[in-house]
Amino acid sequence: MRFPRPRARGSLLALLLGAVLVLAGCGSSAEQSATEPATPASGQFPVTIPTAFGDVTIEQQPKRVVALGWGDAEVALTLGVQPVGAADWLPIGGDGVAPWMPQDKHYTTAPTMLGTLEVSAEQVAALNPDLILDTRASGDKARYDQLAALGVPVLSIPAGGEAYATTWQQQLDMIGKALGRTAEAAQVRNELDAKFQQAADAHPEFTGKTVAVGAKMATSYGAYVNGGARIEFMERLGFAQSPAVQALAGKDFYITVSPERMDLFNADLTVISPIGIDASQIDSDPLFQAVPSVKAGHVVVLSDKTISQAFASATPLGLSYAIDKVVPMITEALAR
C-alpha cells in the first residue's frame, strides 16, 4: 500500500517543491544494521511531544529513525543521528545530503531513500523503525493513520500547524526532544540566531528596506508572503516584507503573480529563484526585467542551484549556508 497524495492547495506543492523526485530505492545495509546513537541522550526519556494528531510519547532513545518530512533527515544528521530511511524533498539526489552539510554530518551507512508525497508502507515497515519523523509534511490524516498503524511513534506536524508550514525552530525543537538531543538542538538554534544577528548588525543599510521575494516556474511566477522561511530569512536581516504583496496574502505562504501584476515584484530589493527552469528564463523575460527595481539592478537572482536550495531549505545548516552566500549578493544588488 502507498500513502495517498496530500490534498492539493492550489499550486502550493508546485511552487514549494519544484520538480520533486519521488525516490523509492532500497538499502538493505541500512535495514540490517541497528544504528546506535553516537552519543548518549542529552534529553530525558520518556518524552511527550504535542502534535496535530495528539501527544506522542517516546519511551527511550530511538536507534532506528525514519525521516520522512521536509528537512527531517537533515535535522537528525545535524544533531548527530543517522536515519535508516530518508526522503529527498529538495531534491538533492543520492543519499539526500546537501552540499552545505559538513563531512562529519554525513552518513556512514547510506539510508534507504523513500518517497516524499507518496511513501511505501512496506518499505518503511521493512526498516524496523522505532521512530518516524514527519514534522514538516502535509499533515494529512490518512498519511498519519497509515504510518501510525505500523505501531511506531510518529512525530507529525506541530499541534495547530499547517501543511508544510512547520518552522525551522519548531522542527529543531521537536526532533531534538524526540532524539534526546535537546542540548545539541539548543546549541544549533543559538548559533543560527547569533549568525542572523551578526549579519543584520553588519548591514544596517538593510533595516526597513522593502523586499519582494518570488520564484519563477515554467509557466508562472509566485511571490512569498509572511509565514514562510524565505520571508523570515529576509526579515531577520532587517528587511520588511513588501506591503503590496502581503496585502494579497491568503491561506498559503505565496501568491500567484500574473503577467499583468509584475509590478508586485517592485520593492527596494527583489529576490527571485528559478524552480524547475534555467535562470536564463528570468534574465530574458522582458516583463520581469521591466520591473523598476529589477531594471535598476536591485535584484538578486538565485541562479546557483545549491544557494537556491539552501535559501529554500528552512533547515538550520541550510539557512546558515544561505546567510554566507546570499548576504554578499544582497549587498552588491543594493549598491548598484
Side-chain angles (χ1 to χ4, degrees):
M1 63 182 169
R2 289 186 176 274
F3 298 116
R5 186 177 298 275
R7 294 185 295 272
R9 303 178 72 211
S11 57
L12 171 61
L13 292 179
L15 184 60
L16 172 67
L17 308 177
V20 171
L21 299 180
V22 180
L23 303 177
C26 61
S28 59
S29 59
E31 296 172 18
Q32 293 169 357
S33 59
T35 305
E36 293 287 346
T39 58
S42 60
Q44 298 295 315
F45 290 97
V47 61
T48 299
I49 304 169
T51 77
F53 300 102
D55 290 350
V56 172
T57 298
I58 301 164
E59 298 291 343
Q60 57 188 3
Q61 186 175 17
K63 296 180 179 179
R64 297 185 62 82
V65 177
V66 168
L68 298 179
W70 175 297
D72 283 345
E74 182 174 316
V75 172
L77 287 170
T78 299
L79 298 179
V81 173
Q82 298 185 20
V84 296
D88 185 14
W89 283 90
L90 282 173
I92 301 297
D95 58 10
V97 178
W100 53 81
M101 295 292 285
Q103 191 62 42
D104 64 349
K105 301 299 183 184
H106 284 218
Y107 291 100
T108 55
T109 299
T112 294
M113 298 308 295
L114 303 165
T116 52
L117 300 181
E118 295 180 354
V119 181
S120 165
E122 287 83 357
Q123 273 197 308
V124 175
L127 293 173
N128 191 29
D130 52 13
L131 174 66
I132 298 173
L133 302 175
D134 206 28
T135 71
R136 186 183 295 147
S138 66
D140 184 80
K141 189 174 187 302
R143 175 180 171 107
Y144 171 79
D145 286 345
Q146 292 195 51
L147 288 170
L150 299 178
V152 178
V154 178
L155 201 63
S156 187
I157 66 174
E162 297 288 338
Y164 303 104
T166 305
T167 68
W168 69 265
Q169 296 94 332
Q170 290 173 318
Q171 184 179 44
L172 182 62
D173 179 67
M174 294 175 74
I175 294 177
K177 289 177 179 176
L179 299 181
R181 301 300 174 91
T182 52
E184 292 86 344
Q187 180 179 352
V188 169
R189 177 168 181 167
N190 290 340
E191 289 175 352
L192 184 55
D193 284 340
K195 191 166 186 176
F196 268 118
Q197 190 61 56
Q198 289 165 4
D201 291 345
H203 294 280
E205 71 273 18
F206 294 172
T207 302
K209 283 188 168 58
T210 58
V211 63
V213 183
K216 176 171 172 52
M217 296 171 292
T219 60
S220 63
Y221 282 91
Y224 296 99
V225 299
N226 290 345
R230 297 165 181 84
I231 298 301
E232 187 208 3
F233 182 98
M234 299 304 297
E235 289 180 334
R236 294 288 295 269
L237 296 177
F239 288 90
Q241 160 73 329
S242 165
V245 172
Q246 192 59 36
L248 300 177
K251 293 183 178 179
D252 293 332
F253 56 82
Y254 82 103
I255 60 170
T256 299
V257 177
S258 67
E260 296 77 21
R261 291 306 316 272
M262 296 297 283
D263 60 288
L264 289 169
F265 286 121
N266 188 41
D268 292 324
L269 176 72
T270 304
V271 178
I272 190 88
S273 301
I275 296 182
I277 63 167
D278 190 88
S280 62
Q281 295 187 39
I282 297 174
D283 298 333
S284 63
D285 184 350
L287 291 177
F288 182 75
Q289 294 301 320
V291 173
S293 55
V294 177
K295 191 173 183 179
H298 304 318
V299 59
V300 171
V301 180
L302 299 177
S303 55
D304 182 277
K305 182 179 179 181
T306 299
I307 296 174
S308 181
Q309 287 176 326
F311 185 66
S313 68
T315 59
L317 296 188
L319 293 172
S320 179
Y321 180 88
I323 292 172
D324 292 338
K325 300 298 183 180
V326 176
V327 169
M329 299 168 73
I330 294 172
T331 304
E332 181 181 352
L334 290 178
R336 293 184 185 124

